[in-house]
Amino acid sequence: VGPWTRLPGLTAHQLVSLHLAVYLAYYGTAAWLRMAAQAEPPPKSDAASLVSLFLSLSGLPPSSSTAGHVFQVEPDGVYLSQIVLGTMVLWGVPSALMLPSLRSPLAIARRLGLAYLAALGALGLWTTDAVLFFGPAVLPLVPLSVLSLFHPKHQQWAKWVRAHPAIIRFRGVLNALFLLLFVPLRLLWLPAVMVAQVIPDALALRTMPKGELPTTEDLQGWPFATVASAAAVGAIFASAQLSWAALLTTQACARCRKERESRERKRAGFVQAAALV
């Protein structure tokens, strides 16, 4: 009898999350690589062109006077948004409401926010950014989906891990992999794209003449608040990465301090034992 029989709901949730993260990361990263291969870096070296160069290297088209790619429909972005929307509505939000270990205002708000962003992407807004946010940015969630099972608050799983040294080593590998993916993708890249591309595009919409708005029939009538809200929610998610990084740093420091204290206690024990000999 393992912890999966005592925590079946949590285990099922994390397995689905792992499957979703692997698929989104694989499909979205492949789509992003195709976009990046088609991007052309600007020839100039001024500040604006440096921003465009960064966006080109990020696989995103540079912003223009017509708010760049806000209304540009990227089929892969729509597809990824549809997957995330369906998963959040049918699985993520209900799981957060039903499972005690996931039932927290922050978890529910995060899933609702993802569902909202995915809904806008499924309707054709910000779909080039959706390739990034629902693709390469999901890579750190692959090891995290497994690590979340081993969290100390899930006592059955934590106890099972402590009883298996091989799983402890596997957890260490996953921790290292998560940090290697989290720092460049979610701590640095994601906020940088928000600042360099998404927020400027949302602000550009505010001052854009009506004649420059897209004339496609299914994009008419989008109020500024709806379009800009995606940038606002995305900025909140990007800012959350900073608090998450601070939490991880605090936990890592606490773990290092605990290990150092444990080594000091062992050393003191050896000294006392030697003194008694």
Side-chain angles (χ1 to χ4, degrees):
V1 178
W4 47 87
T5 60
R6 298 178 180 177
L7 295 173
L10 174 68
T11 304
H13 177 271
Q14 293 308 123
L15 288 176
V16 172
S17 298
L18 175 62
H19 176 270
L20 176 66
V22 169
Y23 181 75
L24 289 177
Y26 168 75
Y27 187 95
T29 301
W32 169 78
L33 289 174
R34 289 193 296 269
M35 291 172 54
Q38 297 172 358
E40 297 181 0
K44 299 180 181 180
S45 59
D46 55 17
S49 295
L50 289 177
V51 173
S52 298
L53 174 61
F54 165 75
L55 295 171
S56 298
L57 295 176
S58 298
L60 298 174
S63 180
S64 66
S65 60
T66 57
H69 56 275
V70 177
F71 297 106
Q72 177 183 335
V73 177
E74 176 64 39
D76 289 325
V78 175
Y79 175 66
L80 292 170
S81 299
Q82 291 171 341
I83 293 178
V84 174
L85 175 61
T87 305
M88 289 298 105
V89 172
L90 299 177
W91 181 259
V93 174
S95 297
L97 292 173
M98 291 187 295
L99 296 176
S101 57
L102 299 177
R103 193 185 303 134
S104 69
L106 182 60
I108 296 173
R110 184 172 66 86
R111 286 164 172 77
L112 290 175
L114 282 174
Y116 180 70
L117 291 178
L120 293 180
L123 292 172
L125 291 176
W126 302 98
T127 54
T128 53
D129 295 285
V131 175
L132 169 61
F133 283 82
F134 298 144
V138 178
L139 280 168
L141 302 185
V142 174
L144 184 63
S145 299
V146 181
L147 289 171
S148 297
L149 274 178
F150 304 155
H151 195 279
K153 69 178 181 180
H154 307 139
Q155 297 181 6
Q156 290 87 345
W157 272 104
K159 182 179 179 180
W160 181 79
V161 170
R162 289 194 297 269
H164 296 80
I167 302 299
I168 295 177
R169 291 191 292 270
F170 176 63
R171 182 181 61 182
V173 172
L174 289 180
N175 275 318
L177 179 60
F178 170 73
L179 289 176
L180 287 174
L181 294 172
F182 172 78
V183 172
L185 292 176
R186 297 183 75 94
L187 183 60
L188 300 177
W189 192 18
L190 206 59
V193 171
M194 289 296 305
V195 172
Q197 177 71 80
V198 177
I199 294 177
D201 272 356
L203 295 177
L205 278 177
R206 186 67 172 174
T207 57
M208 184 188 302
K210 291 185 177 181
E212 295 184 13
L213 287 171
T215 57
T216 307
E217 183 177 353
D218 59 353
L219 294 180
Q220 290 293 330
W222 283 109
F224 170 76
T226 301
V227 179
S229 64
V233 175
I236 293 174
F237 274 106
S239 301
Q241 309 308 311
L242 302 177
S243 61
W244 201 359
L247 176 62
L248 292 174
T249 303
T250 302
Q251 292 177 345
C253 292
R255 189 178 300 112
C256 291
R257 184 169 57 252
K258 186 180 298 184
E259 292 177 355
R260 184 174 62 253
E261 292 173 353
S262 177
R263 288 194 299 268
E264 291 176 354
R265 285 195 299 268
K266 290 181 179 179
R267 190 181 300 112
F270 291 148
V271 172
Q272 291 176 359
L276 294 175
V277 174

